[in-house]
């Protein structure tokens, strides 16, 4: 479980609460074995509250987790649309597509930006 608060450069606080729980299940994705982890997360911040739940996949070999299915839960308790970020292919160094600059699979809009901090 976790419960922590962050403070941005303007002093606004955001609180994060939740739990990550290994289910004991394992799945294979592109020949690689992953542990299944269910999660719940609640975020309370200046822009309001949000809640989500879903599944992530944990690699013991790489000691990291990858996203899977997630659902946002509305304030009324109703589940919103599911988002599936489950990996399709695991590409390692030396394999075609590793560090590709264009997506191999269909991708949605990416919220990425580059800026210079002074």
């Amino acid at each position: 479980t976790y419960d922590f608060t962050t403070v941005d450069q303007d002093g606004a606080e955001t609180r994060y609460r939740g739990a990550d729980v290994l289910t004991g299940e394992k799945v294979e994705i592109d020949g690689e074995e992953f542990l299944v982890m269910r999660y719940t997360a609640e975020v309370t911040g200046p822009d309001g509250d949000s809640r989500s739940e879903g599944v992530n996949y944990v690699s013991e070999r790489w000691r990291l987790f990858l996203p899977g299915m997630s659902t946002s839960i509305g304030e009324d308790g109703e589940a919103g649309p599911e988002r599936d970020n489950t990996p399709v292919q695991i590409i390692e160094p030396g394999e075609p597509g590793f560090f590709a600059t264009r997506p191999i699979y269909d991708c949605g809009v990416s919220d990425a930006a580059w800026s210079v901090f002074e």
Side-chain angles (χ1 to χ4, degrees):
T1 61
Y2 57 89
D3 185 345
F4 64 92
T5 301
T6 61
V7 180
D8 71 14
Q9 60 193 21
D10 296 324
E13 293 186 4
T14 302
R15 183 176 180 189
Y16 300 86
R17 294 181 305 263
D20 298 329
V21 180
L22 290 171
T23 66
E25 300 170 71
K26 295 182 180 183
V27 298
E28 187 177 297
I29 300 172
D30 194 26
E32 193 69 37
E33 185 175 85
F34 291 89
L35 304 174
V36 176
M37 179 182 73
R38 295 207 173 272
Y39 76 89
T40 59
E42 295 179 16
V43 179
T44 303
D47 297 330
D49 299 345
S50 66
R51 195 171 129 222
S52 63
E53 56 188 39
V55 173
N56 288 323
Y57 302 102
V58 180
S59 168
E60 290 182 285
R61 181 165 76 109
W62 296 316
R63 300 180 57 100
L64 58 83
F65 72 90
L66 299 174
M69 298 293 293
S70 64
T71 303
S72 295
I73 309 298
E75 291 184 23
D76 59 1
E78 293 293 317
E82 283 190 332
R83 183 176 181 149
D84 188 354
N85 290 312
T86 303
V88 175
Q89 187 177 15
I90 307 299
I91 302 172
E92 297 191 58
E95 294 182 342
F98 186 78
F99 266 131
T101 57
R102 293 180 187 227
I104 297 170
Y105 300 97
D106 186 32
C107 291
V109 175
S110 178
D111 296 324
W114 180 79
S115 61
V116 177
F117 294 99
E118 295 183 27

